[in-house]
């Protein structure tokens, strides 16, 4: 705990110091201590059980999981900077578990359930809406990754109040794109007997996904990124004609294979069969309803352009 705290507070070439306002927050220290406990607990278990735990309680630094996500990066970096001169370095399996924890958090940042008193204005979704209102959307990473044109954000309007928000959202968006890129590649690898050109499919899916983030970000609200990733994959296979024979059942089987080590059965079921279709109501549906009622109508005027566009060079860097 103290080693991590010391490294996090000291800025370096690879790790920015955290804001002082967080350091005086009890939630910050609770979060850091929970990461330490998480690592020690997993390190003391038998090798056969060193998988992502079924139940993990983590403390949130702020009103949404963004800061906790970034804290994990700082935590890992704090043990890697000087591990050539210290016995306190994280073994690879713990780093893998922490990265899996980050992947779980990526799904949480789109939640808009604020019945516990949290403020939507301070959430990830609230921050995106603020950037949209200030004409600062899309953020830089999306401008570079989107294959079709987008309006350039107004860098002057409310720049002082939104710069910090924009930087944090850009950081999260970069991680989301990298996360989805890994997911898509893994799905295409599992489906490879059905796909003759998995790399082409993967690149085209990422173009669809980045276009969605850039131009139709609202359909991400209240939904898990993996659900929309599978919609994008199905669209590329069926609408763009890459693999006409692929069905959502094929995608579910591939997804279950990809995530079998760290998703519980009830979570897997909800991923495909309990999806928010109409936010603000009890309008849940399955992955096919999401595709037909939400994804296709939102993307119908864009995917033709994506089909003709070149792969952005920036996308290859994620």
């Amino acid at each position: 705990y103290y080693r991590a705290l010391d490294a996090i507070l000291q800025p370096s070439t690879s790790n920015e110091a955290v804001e002082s306002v967080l350091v005086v927050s009890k939630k910050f220290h609770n979060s850091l201590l929970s990461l330490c406990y998480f690592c020690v607990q997993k390190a003391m278990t038998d090798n056969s059980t060193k998988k992502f735990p079924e139940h993990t309680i983590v403390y949130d630094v702020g009103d949404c999981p963004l800061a906790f996500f970034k804290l994990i990066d700082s935590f890992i970096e704090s043990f890697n900077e000087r591990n050539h001169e210290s016995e306190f370095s994280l073994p690879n399996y713990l780093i893998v578990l922490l990265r899996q924890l980050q992947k779980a958090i990526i799904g949480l940042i789109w939640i808009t359930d604020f019945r516990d008193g949290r403020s939507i204005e301070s959430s990830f979704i609230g921050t995106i809406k603020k950037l949209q209102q200030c004409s600062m959307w899309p953020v830089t990473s999306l401008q570079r990754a989107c294959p079709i044109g987008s309006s350039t954000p107004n860098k002057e309007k409310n720049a002082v109040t939104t710069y910090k928000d924009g930087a944090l959202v850009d950081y999260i968006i970069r991680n989301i794109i990298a996360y989805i890129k890994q997911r898509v590649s893994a799905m295409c690898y599992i489906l490879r007997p059905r796909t003759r050109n998995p790399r082409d499919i993967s690149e085209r899916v990422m173009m669809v996904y980045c276009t969605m983030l850039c131009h139709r970000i609202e359909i991400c609200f209240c939904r898990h990124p993996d659900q929309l990733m599978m919609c994008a994959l199905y669209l590329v296979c069926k609408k763009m004609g890459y693999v006409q024979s692929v069905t959502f059942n094929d995608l579910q089987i591939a997804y279950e294979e990809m995530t079998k080590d760290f998703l519980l059965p009830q979570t897997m079921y909800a991923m495909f069969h309990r999806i928010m279709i109409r936010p603000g109501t009890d309008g849940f549906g399955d992955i096919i309803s999401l595709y037909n009622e939400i994804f296709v109508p939102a993307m119908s005027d864009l995917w033709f352009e994506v089909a003709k566009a070149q792969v952005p060079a920036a996308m290859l860097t994620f």
Side-chain angles (χ1 to χ4, degrees):
Y1 167 79
Y2 285 111
R3 173 181 169 78
L5 181 62
D6 178 64
I8 289 172
L9 293 177
Q10 299 296 326
S12 66
T13 55
S14 58
N15 181 40
E16 296 181 2
V18 298
E19 296 179 51
S20 58
V21 66
L22 287 179
V23 180
V24 298
S25 166
K26 181 179 179 180
K27 287 184 177 181
F28 168 84
H29 294 279
N30 284 342
S31 300
L32 182 57
L33 192 60
S34 72
L35 287 178
C36 297
Y37 178 76
F38 175 86
C39 291
V40 171
Q41 182 187 46
K42 297 310 296 180
M44 295 178 67
T45 58
D46 183 79
N47 287 333
S48 63
T49 62
K50 286 175 180 175
K51 295 182 179 181
F52 189 70
E54 293 187 355
H55 301 285
T56 302
I57 299 176
V58 295
Y59 288 92
D60 186 7
V61 180
D63 289 326
C64 65
L66 293 181
F68 195 94
F69 183 99
K70 195 167 186 178
L71 179 60
I72 294 176
D73 270 347
S74 299
F75 182 81
I76 292 174
E77 190 62 38
S78 69
F79 284 93
N80 287 340
E81 284 184 333
R82 299 187 296 271
N83 57 16
H84 62 280
E85 60 185 43
S86 171
E87 69 276 18
F88 294 106
S89 59
L90 291 178
N92 288 334
Y93 74 87
L94 282 182
I95 295 177
V96 170
L97 289 173
L98 289 170
R99 293 304 184 194
Q100 289 177 353
L101 183 57
Q102 281 187 309
K103 291 178 181 179
I105 292 174
I106 282 180
L108 296 177
I109 63 177
W110 302 100
I111 293 176
T112 57
D113 185 356
F114 298 97
R115 289 173 294 183
D116 58 356
R118 296 182 179 186
S119 168
I120 189 171
E121 287 76 16
S122 60
S123 70
F124 184 59
I125 293 175
T127 305
I128 289 177
K129 290 181 177 180
K130 182 164 62 172
L131 292 176
Q132 289 176 320
Q133 293 169 358
C134 296
S135 301
M136 295 189 69
W137 185 266
V139 291
T140 304
S141 56
L142 274 183
Q143 292 182 64
R144 294 170 55 237
C146 185
I148 61 178
S150 61
S151 58
T152 302
N154 182 350
K155 300 297 184 182
E156 301 299 327
K157 186 177 181 181
N158 295 328
V160 175
T161 58
T162 57
Y163 174 77
K164 188 180 299 183
D165 292 330
L168 179 58
V169 170
D170 190 74
Y171 163 80
I172 296 297
I173 290 294
R174 291 198 310 270
N175 279 275
I176 289 174
I177 294 175
Y179 162 84
I180 293 297
K181 187 176 181 179
Q182 292 175 354
R183 290 291 222 217
V184 172
S185 296
M187 291 279 288
C188 289
Y189 179 80
I190 295 171
L191 292 167
R192 66 190 183 282
R194 308 281 296 275
T195 57
R196 294 172 296 177
N197 47 359
R199 180 176 178 179
D200 291 344
I201 293 175
S202 178
E203 290 178 346
R204 199 58 56 173
V205 171
M206 289 308 303
M207 291 170 67
V208 171
Y209 200 91
C210 289
T211 299
M212 176 196 69
L213 289 176
C214 187
H215 296 277
R216 299 292 186 268
I217 187 67
E218 291 80 8
I219 69 176
C220 298
F221 301 167
C222 307
R223 301 175 182 110
H224 196 283
D226 285 356
Q227 294 166 339
L228 295 165
M229 175 271 291
M230 285 181 280
C231 287
L233 179 54
Y234 186 80
L235 184 145
V236 169
C237 290
K238 302 291 284 191
K239 292 286 187 180
M240 296 186 184
Y242 278 82
V243 192
Q244 291 283 356
S245 60
V246 166
T247 66
F248 272 113
N249 187 57
D250 296 325
L251 298 185
Q252 181 172 349
I253 292 173
Y255 186 83
E256 289 175 351
E257 174 65 24
M258 178 179 66
T259 60
K260 62 183 180 182
D261 289 334
F262 55 93
L263 280 190
L264 295 172
Q266 57 265 37
T267 304
M268 193 76 70
Y269 177 85
M271 190 67 69
F272 287 89
H273 300 286
R274 186 168 175 78
I275 303 172
M276 178 61 70
I277 304 299
R278 300 170 189 83
T281 69
D282 291 329
F284 290 92
D286 60 13
I287 190 75
I288 297 176
S289 299
L290 174 64
Y291 178 81
N292 289 329
E293 299 179 31
I294 303 297
F295 191 82
V296 170
M299 298 296 293
S300 59
D301 60 336
L302 295 172
W303 70 267
F304 283 108
E305 294 184 60
V306 176
K308 297 182 294 183
Q310 298 294 319
V311 179
M315 188 178 295
L316 302 177
T317 64
F318 288 100

